[in-house]
Amino acid sequence: MPQPDTPFILDAQPTTLASWAKAVCNAIDAQGIDSHQLLLEAAIEPEQLNDPEGRILVSKMSRLWALAVAATGNEAFGLCVPQFVLPTSFHALGFSWMVSETLREAWHRAQRYYQIVSNVLTIEIQEGSEESAFCYVKIPGQAYAKEAIDAFSATMIRMAMSVSAGQLRPLRVELEREPPEDPAPFSQYFPCDVRFSAGHNRIYFSNSDLDKPLPSANRDIALKNDEVVQSYLSRLLQQSLTKQVTEKIITALTMGEPSQSLIADSLHMSSRNLQRKLKDEATSFRQLLDEVRKHLAQRYLTHTQQSIIDITYQLGFQDPSNFTRAFKRWFGMSPTTFRQQQHTTL
């Protein structure tokens, strides 16, 4: 089963917080560009930005990022956004983050609740003996703008330095994006080494810094804000049948391959009605089952030492040969080869 701190929620139409989009628009305006016009070109209603719990399709946000880069002529535009980010840009999660006892605790909060910010990717934490990495991990089949990752990474570092009075600094930043034509803005913004074409998006801090008590820590306030985040997350998850079905599939997998009728029964509807409603959300039960298995297989092979046989049965396959055939269809290689390659690159 997935670890509690690494929730996996698929969505047929990934979204992001409207308050995050508002920070992006403030950065656009600061460049002398009319963000209102760019919003309209991206098919985003400007009024959406004033809804503290509003959501905007990631596909439309990607269009907005592209328009902003074109209008400003600045390929490092994502680095302009953090100065306009407020704690409320991340709903109550921003406040919880700021009053966490340590940066590591703040990371785990972000990991646990990041889908309220955007569910086009997940957060993973890779822990080493001397340093650990905060990782933005792409959900298979989803896409996002590289400028969004630039902005998210820059914001995370800015917040870490802010809550520590400038004492906590990253060791290095590794970005999946290709090197920009002018890397100077990146080297000037990040107080550490920046590496491009890394094949992943990770921010490294020393373990000693991650565990230093933060001067802004307040456990009572953090827990209260966690309750607000959980309440919002609960409402968000109820908005999509796709998400509910995904959760049911994850829970049922360890008992074998779940059937559509089993999941439909657990949701108190007929199998035919479930099929119709999922079709309305541009997906199907078989597609969701396949995507869940693919994502979890990738996670287990990369971040656990479980045997191939154990993973086979955790994903509801009857035997390893079936799992291997499915894995080759997903990734073009066997599970064993994939694990060897992942461990080589870590």
Side-chain angles (χ1 to χ4, degrees):
M1 292 292 291
Q3 296 301 310
D5 277 357
T6 54
F8 170 50
I9 303 296
L10 283 173
D11 193 344
Q13 301 242 9
T15 60
T16 192
L17 274 171
S19 50
W20 169 251
K22 190 169 186 177
V24 175
C25 286
N26 287 337
I28 293 172
D29 291 332
Q31 298 287 308
I33 307 298
D34 182 6
S35 65
H36 187 277
Q37 181 59 38
L38 296 191
L39 285 171
L40 295 179
E41 291 182 38
I44 299 173
E45 293 294 333
E47 293 75 17
Q48 287 182 264
L49 274 58
N50 297 320
D51 181 356
E53 294 195 353
R55 311 288 302 182
I56 295 176
L57 291 177
V58 168
S59 57
K60 293 185 178 182
M61 279 300 300
S62 294
R63 174 61 177 160
L64 180 63
W65 282 113
L67 290 168
V69 171
T72 62
N74 182 6
E75 61 179 338
F77 173 74
L79 304 183
C80 300
V81 174
Q83 63 179 306
F84 298 99
V85 172
L86 303 172
T88 51
S89 298
F90 301 122
H91 201 265
L93 177 58
F95 291 106
S96 293
W97 204 101
M98 292 177 64
V99 294
S100 294
E101 295 186 10
T102 64
L103 183 57
R104 189 186 301 277
E105 182 179 285
W107 278 14
H108 281 285
R109 278 197 165 89
Q111 182 184 40
R112 188 177 299 117
Y113 301 125
Y114 197 78
Q115 57 194 303
I116 73 167
V117 178
S118 177
N119 52 5
V120 75
L121 49 79
T122 60
I123 300 299
E124 292 182 359
I125 298 171
Q126 291 192 353
E127 298 186 359
S129 58
E130 297 184 359
E131 62 182 29
S132 297
F134 186 88
C135 314
Y136 295 98
V137 181
K138 181 179 180 180
I139 293 177
Q142 305 293 5
Y144 48 75
K146 61 180 180 293
E147 293 82 12
I149 294 297
D150 294 344
F152 282 141
S153 300
T155 298
M156 200 284 286
I157 291 174
R158 183 184 178 93
M159 291 175 67
M161 295 181 66
S162 175
V163 296
S164 68
Q167 297 302 305
L168 303 185
R169 293 175 176 267
L171 298 175
R172 65 186 179 280
V173 175
E174 297 178 352
L175 298 175
E176 182 181 23
R177 63 167 293 160
E178 71 281 359
E181 291 186 13
D182 180 12
F186 289 84
S187 59
Q188 292 169 2
Y189 188 93
F190 292 108
C192 61
D193 182 35
V194 182
R195 303 173 186 177
F196 301 99
S197 301
H200 50 248
N201 298 297
R202 298 175 184 168
I203 304 169
Y204 289 84
F205 278 79
S206 69
N207 287 337
S208 60
D209 276 356
L210 286 176
D211 295 323
K212 287 180 180 177
L214 296 176
S216 58
N218 189 311
R219 180 173 176 78
D220 289 341
I221 294 178
L223 293 177
K224 286 295 183 181
N225 278 287
D226 284 350
E227 292 178 6
V228 177
V229 174
Q230 290 167 2
S231 176
Y232 174 56
L233 181 58
S234 177
R235 296 194 300 275
L236 181 62
L237 295 182
Q238 292 173 2
Q239 293 174 359
S240 167
L241 179 62
T242 296
K243 295 173 182 175
Q244 296 179 58
V245 171
T246 297
E247 288 281 275
K248 295 291 186 181
I249 289 174
I250 293 173
T251 302
L253 272 176
T254 54
M255 303 300 294
E257 179 175 335
S259 66
Q260 180 170 313
S261 59
L262 174 68
I263 300 302
D265 288 343
S266 70
L267 293 169
H268 308 291
M269 65 176 67
S270 68
S271 181
R272 179 174 296 182
N273 193 27
L274 175 65
Q275 179 178 340
R276 178 181 61 80
K277 288 181 177 294
L278 288 177
K279 184 177 180 180
D280 290 341
E281 295 186 8
T283 188
S284 68
F285 175 78
R286 296 306 305 178
Q287 180 180 340
L288 291 178
L289 175 60
D290 197 57
E291 289 175 344
V292 167
R293 282 172 155 173
K294 178 180 178 181
H295 179 89
L296 293 181
Q298 181 184 38
R299 175 169 293 176
Y300 290 149
L301 288 167
T302 303
H303 302 298
T304 77
Q305 298 301 317
Q306 297 178 77
S307 69
I308 301 298
I309 292 178
D310 286 343
I311 295 174
T312 293
Y313 294 122
Q314 284 198 48
L315 297 180
F317 289 99
Q318 293 184 351
D319 59 68
S321 62
N322 289 340
F323 171 50
T324 298
R325 281 195 294 272
F327 197 90
K328 286 182 176 179
R329 173 168 55 83
W330 296 328
F331 298 101
M333 65 185 76
S334 70
T336 300
T337 301
F338 179 87
R339 171 172 273 173
Q340 291 172 343
Q341 290 188 1
Q342 293 300 303
H343 288 177
T344 298
T345 58
L346 290 178

